[in-house]
Amino acid sequence: MSAEYQVQGNLAVISLNNPPVNGLGHATRQAIVQGISRAHEDAAVTAIIITGAGRAFSGGADIKEFNSPKAFAEPSLHTVISVLEDAEKPVIAAIHSVCMGGGLELALGCHYRIASPGAQIALPEVKLGILPGAGGTQRLPRAVGLETALNMIVSGNPVSSEKLAQTALFNQIAEGDLMTAATAFANQVAAVRPLPKVRDIRIDYPNYEAFLQFSRNTVKAMSGPFPAPLACVDAVAAAVSKKFDDGIQFERELFLKLVQTTESKALRHAFFAERAASKLPDVPDDTPVRTIKSVAVVGAGTMGGGIAMNFANAGIPVRILEMKQEALDKGLATIRKNYENTLKKGKLTQEKFDQRVALISGTLDYQEIAQADIVIEAVFEDMSVKQQVFQQLDAVMKPGAILASNTSTLDVDKIAAFTRRPQDVIGTHFFSPANVMKLLEIVRGKQTAKDVLATVLALSKKIRKTGVVSGVCDGFIGNRMIEQYSRQAGYLLEEGCTPEQVDKAVEKLGFAMGPFRMGDLAGNDIGWYIRKRRYVEKPHIVYSKTADLLCEMGRFGQKTGAGWYDYKPGDRKPYPSAVVNEMIVKHSADIGVERRKISDQEITERLIYALVNEAAYILEEGIANRASDIDMVYLTGYGFPLHTGGPMFYADTVGLSNVVRAMEKYAKGRHGEAWKPAPLLAKLAAEGKTFN
Ligand code: T1G
């Protein structure tokens, strides 16, 4: 599938046809060039229209071809664009829906452009860690002006076509049928010469150096570890300061450098990982889904309230069930407060505020949620409480309703067994704050029906979550791995580190928050409760006692004004705590461990490789479907640095044999049993292979 050529009267029409979004793969590029040649040879043809079949004009270069020889095989995108620009007959791009990246660069090479209103116009390459590599940084500033082009290229965000109607990018915004308008326009311009070329437009921007220097400073401050945004500014600067062909050459050099960077490979990996996560080997894409028109949530606490907001934000009515009026009122008031805060920040219109608040209601009566299409339980993390709730739900919910639990670690199969409809039971593990964090772990019970899975996956997209499917085990994917990470963090304290040294080491790598700051934020008592359960269930696993000693001091974290760190009233900034550090030093002495200086490298290796090793067990047990799913869990739910691509991609980048070698070194230290490589990791390392 590539592109269709047909002649309609005196017009040649080339329709890009490479589903799903007309990525400009090699076959498509060849078909375009052949189409132009045929149009040249056909004397009856006086003008050429290029358009896109299906859901897009074009989503850009075919990123599935990246890192393969096809990506740059002739005719390259550059060549195709030159063929269009140098065509002897007028070429008109008829643009609808999506015109992005190489697709927009291709349109910029045409002589004229007509768009339907609402078409999403973007050069999003920066989001893949690269920059427009087929003339976009040189032509777009000529078509829409320096500032608009710079904003579009550095942000990568789409602009709706009608907003660019007054620029040289579009000759017309076609309100009616696009092809009718394009045909009429093509006939109007068929004889017009010379053919207009975007490359010939002069950029007129007085004192552009000052503007670009200001832009560089701004972009440098916000681009973090990513080199692409700043390179975008340099490329756009060349559009003003260099001759066109020199600018093209400069852009090419920058593109070829960026496409090889780890940061870009990580972003491209994350792009595909996010889309792969919703694909289940045994649940076909066309599995019928159940209709979800209304939602119920059991529990109006922090999680229940946040979960309810997700559905209201997606325009779905949601009813929250509580046992006591006071708890219900408190929960509804908290939701309203959250929306008011967003309204005050100007991130929500009054109309949306009113709409969302109106979609959320409360009740104390199970009967009043019986007709909901899905009910999500978000009550206390205790199996006996879950049992009561699910027995009640089983008794009242209409047939076909989906019964979901927000449990973060408990056995979903056991929960399903409390009901007579285990096929309708599933885990929907939201991450706090539930209305903010993108990750949704979808826990598949042994009996969860395929259409229930497909429905919840589709629903996760509707509420703008990244749904990742997990099998049933203690902690599912994310929390099971974080347990090993936390164990190492505790051992590091006993062996010589302070909480702030451990946190700073991983935050330097780009983590949003180190383990101890994260504990203080989430509440150290949560981990304490889970460890107490694990001491009974898994007595062979040794934890550092420091976390328990901290909780015995009542230092649960920010919510108690003190945790691993001290906090000042009204100030969320963590201050190193002398009391805690003394406790740690005393504890090392009590257990006879001689404290030593520990490098940041050892800290980051032990924390991250502990995650990777547990992930390898999770993969070989089939709890996760693929390594990139685990990357998505950590990128969207645990603040793992995006520029590394996630723990599995990071391990691949380091080299699995190097990861195993480091683990062998740590296996000689304290609690060496924790460093036994998972068989899958050992195998891949020995074979020189990667997870992804
Ligand atoms: N190439 C190949 N496949 C693509 C693709 C692309 N450019 N864009 C999307 N897909 C696939 C995607 O993997 C998924 O596949 C399906 O299309 C639907 O995607 C030289 C070098 C276009 C706005 O960065 O932003 O041009 O999982 O679920 O929500 O300068 O996809 O179904 O098998 O996202 O309707 C620049 C990236 C490339 C655009 C559609 N272009 N894509 O959103 O559907 S680099 C981009 C998007 C470039 C030049 C450079 C979105 C979309 P599957 P989807 P959607």
Side-chain angles (χ1 to χ4, degrees):
M1 301 287 254
S2 54
E4 260 80 55
Y5 176 89
Q6 56 178 165
V7 178
Q8 294 165 1
N10 63 311
L11 300 178
V13 179
I14 298 173
S15 294
L16 305 182
N17 189 7
N18 180 19
V21 294
N22 297 331
L24 296 168
H26 186 241
T28 304
R29 301 197 299 267
Q30 282 178 314
I32 296 169
V33 171
Q34 284 153 13
I36 298 294
S37 309
R38 288 178 64 179
H40 280 162
E41 285 147 21
D42 184 339
V45 169
T46 59
I48 302 155
I49 294 174
I50 286 194
T51 191
R55 61 195 275 196
F57 171 77
S58 169
D62 191 334
I63 29 190
K64 289 191 176 82
E65 272 186 5
F66 270 31
N67 297 338
S68 81
K70 277 189 171 181
F72 303 110
E74 287 299 341
S76 69
L77 194 48
H78 266 283
T79 304
V80 172
I81 292 168
S82 301
V83 164
L84 295 170
E85 197 165 56
D86 300 337
E88 296 143 22
K89 300 176 181 176
V91 183
I92 298 95
I95 295 163
H96 64 90
S97 313
V98 166
C99 178
M100 292 191 172
L104 178 54
E105 291 173 302
L106 181 138
L108 283 162
C110 297
H111 305 113
Y112 303 97
R113 286 154 298 280
I114 293 189
S116 301
Q120 294 304 295
I121 311 300
L123 288 177
E125 289 84 343
V126 70
K127 294 183 178 179
L128 297 173
I130 47 181
L131 53 69
T137 64
Q138 308 303 305
R139 288 191 176 88
L140 192 63
R142 287 172 164 80
V144 303
L146 184 63
E147 282 195 35
T148 304
L150 188 67
N151 288 334
M152 286 177 72
I153 292 167
V154 167
S155 71
N157 294 332
V159 175
S160 197
S161 53
E162 69 280 1
K163 292 203 170 60
L164 299 164
Q166 306 312 317
T167 72
L169 178 60
F170 294 121
N171 304 84
Q172 200 182 94
I173 298 292
E175 290 301 335
D177 177 73
L178 177 63
M179 284 309 287
T180 306
T183 300
F185 185 87
N187 286 317
Q188 277 169 19
V189 300
V192 172
R193 295 295 184 276
L195 295 170
K197 296 180 182 182
V198 169
R199 61 175 288 160
D200 298 334
I201 298 173
R202 270 185 49 73
I203 299 174
D204 187 15
Y205 194 98
N207 195 9
Y208 67 82
E209 291 95 340
F211 167 69
L212 288 168
Q213 194 45 51
F214 168 77
S215 306
R216 266 195 193 85
N217 299 340
T218 313
V219 168
K220 195 171 177 57
M222 47 68 90
S223 50
F226 294 102
L230 211 47
C232 288
V233 179
D234 293 340
V236 169
V240 221
S241 60
K242 295 176 186 288
K243 287 210 293 305
F244 181 81
D245 290 333
D246 296 342
I248 287 284
Q249 181 53 32
F250 182 64
E251 173 195 86
R252 191 116 198 88
E253 288 158 13
L254 288 175
F255 175 84
L256 290 174
K257 262 190 228 145
L258 288 171
V259 80
Q260 293 304 323
T261 60
T262 306
E263 290 81 2
S264 178
K265 289 175 186 168
L267 287 171
R268 296 186 328 248
H269 166 69
F271 175 87
F272 283 115
E274 180 170 15
R275 286 154 181 79
S278 58
K279 303 221 178 325
L280 297 178
D282 64 335
V283 179
D285 278 353
D286 58 2
T287 303
V289 295
R290 297 185 191 180
T291 309
I292 302 291
K293 285 206 170 64
S294 70
V295 173
V297 174
V298 180
T302 312
M303 288 308 284
I307 291 169
M309 289 173 73
N310 289 312
F311 293 99
N313 297 351
I316 302 172
V318 50
R319 175 158 285 188
I320 304 180
L321 172 74
E322 253 298 350
M323 297 298 102
K324 294 193 184 69
Q325 190 63 48
E326 183 198 348
L328 180 60
D329 294 344
K330 184 165 177 285
L332 292 173
T334 304
I335 290 170
R336 186 179 188 86
K337 189 106 193 68
N338 286 340
Y339 281 134
E340 278 164 358
N341 291 342
T342 314
L343 182 68
K344 270 185 215 130
K345 287 182 200 153
K347 291 184 179 165
L348 194 64
T349 61
Q350 184 64 49
E351 183 201 359
K352 280 242 185 279
F353 172 90
D354 298 336
Q355 185 190 59
R356 290 178 181 182
V357 168
L359 281 168
I360 298 177
S361 60
T363 177
L364 300 177
D365 178 1
Y366 267 92
Q367 286 305 333
E368 289 197 353
I369 63 168
Q371 295 310 310
D373 299 310
I374 180 170
V375 55
I376 300 173
E377 162 273 317
V379 298
F380 191 60
E381 188 72 352
D382 177 281
M383 197 53 104
S384 57
V385 178
K386 307 284 187 199
Q387 178 167 5
Q388 280 168 10
V389 170
F390 272 83
Q391 283 169 343
Q392 290 256 48
L393 292 176
D394 189 31
V396 302
M397 296 310 293
K398 71 178 182 184
I402 293 176
L403 314 184
S405 169
N406 176 51
T407 179
S408 59
T409 58
L410 297 175
D411 186 333
V412 171
D413 290 327
K414 283 209 183 97
I415 291 173
F418 296 141
T419 75
R420 289 156 300 174
R421 43 178 137 176
Q423 72 284 357
D424 295 337
V425 177
I426 192 166
T428 51
H429 176 211
F430 288 83
F431 284 72
S432 181
N435 56 308
V436 173
M437 294 301 278
K438 268 189 70 112
L439 177 61
L440 175 62
E441 267 186 332
I442 299 168
V443 186
R444 173 179 196 169
K446 286 190 183 58
Q447 299 181 77
T448 300
K450 293 187 177 184
D451 69 324
V452 169
L453 256 179
T455 304
V456 173
L457 273 168
L459 190 59
S460 67
K461 274 192 177 158
K462 188 156 173 60
I463 61 173
R464 303 169 69 79
K465 296 292 182 189
T466 299
V468 178
V469 175
S470 171
V472 174
C473 70
D474 190 347
F476 314 133
I477 297 173
N479 283 346
R480 174 168 159 184
M481 287 167 61
I482 208 76
E483 179 194 341
Q484 300 310 325
Y485 173 90
S486 304
R487 274 179 74 193
Q488 289 304 322
Y491 296 155
L492 285 163
L493 292 185
E494 294 176 337
E495 295 166 26
C497 291
T498 57
E500 56 271 24
Q501 186 192 353
V502 173
D503 284 348
K504 280 198 170 45
V506 290
E507 287 161 16
K508 208 157 59 184
L509 198 69
F511 275 75
M513 209 175 271
F516 299 108
R517 284 182 58 203
M518 189 163 76
D520 276 359
L521 179 70
N524 297 311
D525 50 330
I526 294 173
W528 195 24
Y529 186 81
I530 292 174
R531 279 195 307 281
K532 283 177 181 168
R533 175 163 62 81
R534 294 237 170 87
Y535 291 152
V536 173
E537 289 170 0
K538 297 180 190 165
H540 61 287
I541 294 187
V542 179
Y543 294 87
S544 160
K545 278 271 169 282
T546 46
D548 295 349
L549 293 170
L550 185 84
C551 289
E552 286 158 19
M553 295 158 78
R555 297 178 71 103
F556 293 163
Q558 292 188 22
K559 61 184 174 186
T560 57
W564 292 106
Y565 295 91
D566 290 337
Y567 295 90
K568 292 177 181 152
D571 177 0
R572 299 168 72 90
K573 191 171 174 319
Y575 295 90
S577 163
V579 167
V580 168
N581 290 349
E582 277 156 30
M583 173 270 282
I584 293 167
V585 169
K586 180 180 178 308
H587 178 65
S588 300
D590 291 349
I591 59 173
V593 171
E594 192 177 328
R595 294 178 70 79
R596 63 185 169 88
K597 185 159 173 34
I598 297 174
S599 69
D600 284 359
Q601 181 181 345
E602 179 173 344
I603 294 170
T604 48
E605 283 185 346
R606 285 175 61 175
L607 290 182
I608 295 177
Y609 296 169
L611 290 174
V612 171
N613 198 36
E614 192 61 27
Y617 284 109
I618 286 171
L619 263 181
E620 60 193 20
E621 291 166 25
I623 295 293
N625 287 314
R626 54 186 77 81
S628 63
D629 280 5
I630 297 172
D631 285 331
M632 286 321 295
V633 167
Y634 267 75
L635 290 173
T636 59
Y638 290 80
F640 203 91
L642 177 59
H643 69 277
T644 67
M648 312 307 269
F649 192 86
Y650 177 79
D652 287 344
T653 308
V654 166
L656 299 188
S657 57
N658 296 323
V659 171
V660 170
R661 191 174 312 111
M663 289 169 63
E664 284 161 354
K665 180 176 59 173
Y666 299 127
K668 297 190 181 84
R670 291 178 69 236
H671 305 298
E673 75 286 351
W675 291 111
K676 181 173 174 302
L680 173 65
L681 172 55
K683 180 173 177 295
L684 290 173
E687 294 168 359
K689 290 183 179 163
T690 57
F691 283 119
N692 282 296

